[in-house]
Amino acid sequence: MSADSFTGFDGAELAVTVMGEGRPVVLVHGLFSSAQMNWIKFGHAEKLVEAGFRVIMPDLRAHGASAKSHNALDYPFGVLTKDLTALVEHYGLTDYDLAGFSLGARTCAKGVIDGLAPRRLALCGMGLQGLSGWARRSAFFIDAIDRFDEIKRGDRAFMAKSFMKTMGIDREAARLLLGAVDDVSDADLATITMPTALICGDKDQDNGSAKDLALVLPDGRYREVSGTHMSSVADGAFGDALVEFFES
């Protein structure tokens, strides 16, 4: 495993962790998380390495070890997609697979819509409403940031606050980032033509219905694992589903 960095679309220094040798697969973590938390801690990256993949895992802007600017100009619309494209160009990837969890899944979907062309795509912890109804999701997390010090146990935002605290999130940078993510239209989904796995917990409705998203995509394939939005990504079956899909 090696810790590396690459230059974002605007020159920002962004962290990336690389493991293994073989066919490249890019894994993009979720909101308030990191490559370490989503992909490494629970063994998913190691399973892909053992299956013969080279796993490339960036820390999103405002997350992990990546740049956390407090300048609004560093967060234009589409910033995460632009950074993902910069990562693909940095490693010279032309034949690769791509996966993301939650906000990472949204970033991957938008990346494909904007021109990225992975062989296979996995959108994890993501449903149809999470792509087309981002404003509602974003408002929930912005509210959690703004009310951070007053949120108590029992508040619907308590879990988000707890996760931000655990991860040491720079809330000012994260708030700016949340405002830089735009919606995906239903028409855009027709451009995601490669085989696409929708890997989602059986109790995960945080981003809407993954089953509905699988039906809308030209080649969507629903893969169910156990758990909620938070627990499913910590289950070994999640990594197994990624390996099974990318090996096929």
Side-chain angles (χ1 to χ4, degrees):
M1 180 167 63
S2 64
D4 198 358
S5 65
F6 71 103
T7 301
F9 83 99
D10 60 351
E13 185 174 354
L14 305 177
V16 59
T17 303
V18 181
M19 294 173 58
E21 300 291 338
R23 178 179 182 77
V25 56
V26 177
L27 305 180
V28 186
H29 67 77
L31 181 65
F32 303 150
S33 193
S34 66
Q36 172 64 36
M37 175 59 75
N38 269 175
W39 308 120
I40 299 171
K41 181 176 180 179
F42 301 107
H44 311 319
E46 185 59 37
K47 287 182 178 180
L48 285 162
V49 169
E50 291 173 354
F53 290 90
R54 179 189 183 206
V55 187
I56 302 170
M57 300 166 284
D59 280 348
L60 296 175
R61 183 179 297 238
H63 292 75
S66 286
K68 300 176 181 66
S69 170
H70 290 180
N71 185 342
L73 295 178
D74 294 329
Y75 300 90
F77 276 122
V79 60
L80 295 181
T81 303
K82 296 176 189 292
D83 285 339
L84 179 58
T85 299
L87 174 75
V88 170
E89 292 174 351
H90 174 80
Y91 286 102
L93 303 179
T94 56
D95 183 18
Y96 63 99
D97 296 317
L98 179 62
F101 178 74
S102 197
L103 178 60
R106 202 181 186 294
T107 301
C108 292
K110 194 66 166 64
V112 170
I113 291 166
D114 289 349
L116 294 181
R119 180 190 66 110
R120 287 188 162 229
L121 174 67
L123 305 179
C124 311
M126 180 53 62
L128 183 58
Q129 294 79 6
L131 292 179
S132 61
W134 172 251
R136 177 184 61 84
R137 290 292 286 161
S138 177
F140 171 81
F141 292 115
I142 288 174
D143 174 69
I145 289 171
D146 290 346
R147 296 192 301 113
F148 187 87
D149 291 330
E150 64 189 67
I151 294 172
K152 307 297 183 186
R153 189 176 298 276
D155 191 300
R156 62 192 295 265
F158 183 75
M159 185 174 292
K161 171 185 175 173
S162 298
F163 193 53
M164 281 190 276
K165 187 174 181 180
T166 296
M167 297 301 297
I169 290 298
D170 183 320
R171 299 197 299 276
E172 185 173 349
R175 196 184 195 286
L176 289 169
L177 179 66
L178 284 165
V181 182
D182 49 354
D183 271 334
V184 173
S185 73
D186 291 345
D188 284 338
L189 296 177
T191 67
I192 303 176
T193 57
M194 68 283 297
T196 304
L198 288 307
I199 302 172
C200 195
D202 58 353
K203 299 179 181 64
D204 181 3
Q205 290 289 319
D206 281 28
N207 285 306
S209 171
K211 291 181 181 179
D212 288 350
L213 182 54
L215 292 173
V216 168
L217 293 174
D219 194 358
R221 309 175 186 192
Y222 178 66
R223 300 284 200 278
E224 185 174 278
V225 295
S226 298
T228 64
H229 194 67
M230 295 296 287
S231 67
S232 61
V233 73
D235 193 307
F238 184 92
D240 294 337
L242 286 171
V243 171
E244 179 185 359
F245 177 64
F246 288 131
E247 278 192 323
S248 58

